[in-house]
Amino acid sequence: MTDQVHIPIMARPVMTPAKTMLPKIVDPRRLADQGMTLKGSVAAEYLPRVSQDAEALEEVQVELAFARGDQGKIRVTGVICGRFGLMCQRCMNSVDTRVKQSVDLVVVWNDDQSRSVPRELDPWEVDEQANLFELIEDEILLALPLVAKHPEGQCRPPEIPDQDIPEPEEGRQKPFEILKELTKSSDK
């Protein structure tokens, strides 16, 4: 059973079934003018930058609502959810990481418009058409932890085989002993 996420927005939602594959390229203006909400999934194979750092354990679920906001600007709000396997930096084993990233963006067409977006919102700079998969990848990468690790006490330390450490040979001089002697002779 999938979690239903409801996003408050002034739009006429048009919901698609949860198992629907989202389109890669969208027209944000058309979607906002129609008050569309895109709901569906994206397979890991379409998110190559995420796959470099994490193994997607299931399809990424996405719900994004497009609407005209203040001053006619296009707003994109929603949520991106997924489950990823990352390498624990303590024990070097896989750690199951859930991501639920809220999205609240203003669509802009150039750098000048990006600079005018209020600080509490993030700009999404696009051309006439926008690559939705790149946006999803960006949001997932922002949501993944910088250092993945199991909760305290749940790590399994890596197994190190028992090895006998050889004793130093008798009569063999140790490197730091030689340095010690050299420093004594230079002090004289």
Side-chain angles (χ1 to χ4, degrees):
M1 184 173 160
T2 60
D3 294 332
Q4 294 293 325
V5 178
H6 299 285
I7 304 163
I9 188 163
M10 302 287 287
R12 297 181 319 255
V14 176
M15 304 301 277
T16 55
K19 285 292 182 187
T20 300
M21 181 70 164
L22 292 174
K24 179 178 181 179
I25 303 297
V26 296
D27 180 352
R29 283 187 178 120
R30 184 181 65 79
L31 292 173
D33 289 341
Q34 294 176 356
M36 297 279 290
T37 296
L38 298 179
K39 182 177 181 180
S41 60
V42 178
E45 63 197 56
Y46 298 109
L47 307 171
R49 291 183 296 145
V50 173
S51 297
Q52 290 175 0
D53 297 325
E55 175 189 2
L57 301 176
E58 59 189 29
E59 288 186 341
V60 176
Q61 300 301 312
V62 179
E63 184 172 341
L64 296 174
F66 292 77
R68 293 272 177 188
D70 298 336
Q71 302 154 358
K73 293 185 181 194
I74 298 172
R75 292 279 301 271
V76 181
T77 58
V79 66
I80 299 170
C81 301
R83 207 174 110 221
F84 301 92
L86 301 170
M87 184 182 293
C88 175
Q89 298 302 305
R90 287 186 188 136
C91 67
M92 306 312 272
N93 291 310
S94 182
V95 59
D96 191 347
T97 305
R98 293 192 179 274
V99 169
K100 186 173 184 179
Q101 178 74 355
S102 294
V103 177
D104 193 358
L105 305 169
V106 174
V107 176
V108 296
W109 315 106
N110 56 48
D111 285 337
D112 291 336
Q113 290 179 339
S114 291
R115 289 193 263 306
S116 68
V117 172
R119 288 185 184 253
E120 62 271 7
L121 299 172
D122 291 322
W124 179 28
E125 190 171 328
V126 300
D127 296 320
E128 293 300 315
Q129 302 288 312
N131 187 325
L132 196 58
F133 291 179
E134 286 181 1
L135 169 67
I136 293 166
E137 272 189 307
D138 289 343
E139 294 297 324
I140 291 170
L141 290 170
L142 288 170
L144 289 173
L146 292 175
V147 178
K149 52 189 172 183
H150 288 101
E152 196 67 41
Q154 291 186 9
C155 283
R156 295 181 318 265
E159 293 185 26
I160 301 172
D162 291 335
Q163 294 180 359
D164 292 330
I165 299 172
E167 292 293 323
E169 297 173 18
E170 290 296 323
R172 182 175 168 204
Q173 252 189 330
K174 298 176 184 171
F176 291 104
E177 290 290 323
I178 296 170
L179 286 174
K180 186 176 177 183
E181 290 176 23
L182 287 174
T183 57
K184 283 183 184 178
S185 63
S186 66
D187 291 339
K188 295 179 181 180

